[in-house]
Amino acid sequence: MPSKYIFHQSVRTALEKDSWMITHDPLHLKVDDIEFFVDLGAERLLPAQKQGQKIAVEIKSFVDTSEVTEFHLALGQTLNYRLE
């Protein structure tokens, strides 16, 4: 399981304050034989609907020596998730 970024708890707290219920920490996805771990999975029930909204949240801190490398890694993860 991947390690958590330094802003993980802050993001989780902000989502909870905005009425999101954290359902997964982390959210595990498996496609074919490839496993993905998204930092948080959450859902929020909407009063006007019977079905809630669901989100997957990927948290990045960009604190390593190369912000460009960190950006490319984050972009690559996003592109992987969009293919699913």
Side-chain angles (χ1 to χ4, degrees):
M1 188 174 316
S3 62
K4 295 181 180 176
Y5 285 88
I6 60 173
F7 299 116
H8 185 94
Q9 190 58 46
S10 297
V11 172
R12 181 182 173 128
T13 300
L15 287 168
E16 290 171 333
K17 285 183 179 181
D18 194 37
S19 301
W20 287 94
M21 180 178 65
I22 304 301
T23 57
H24 298 84
D25 187 358
L27 172 62
H28 176 252
L29 304 172
K30 187 170 183 178
V31 179
D32 297 326
D33 291 332
I34 301 171
E35 292 186 277
F36 296 96
F37 291 93
V38 181
D39 292 318
L40 295 171
E43 81 178 294
R44 175 168 53 185
L45 296 177
L46 302 175
Q49 299 177 356
K50 290 184 178 181
Q51 206 170 23
Q53 294 177 323
K54 294 184 180 184
I55 59 172
V57 179
E58 188 65 43
I59 302 166
K60 297 294 177 206
S61 58
F62 296 92
V63 294
D64 284 345
T65 51
S66 174
E67 290 177 354
V68 173
T69 299
E70 287 290 309
F71 171 76
H72 285 124
L73 289 171
L75 178 61
Q77 277 186 296
T78 300
L79 294 174
N80 279 335
Y81 298 149
R82 289 187 65 190
L83 294 174
E84 307 316 315

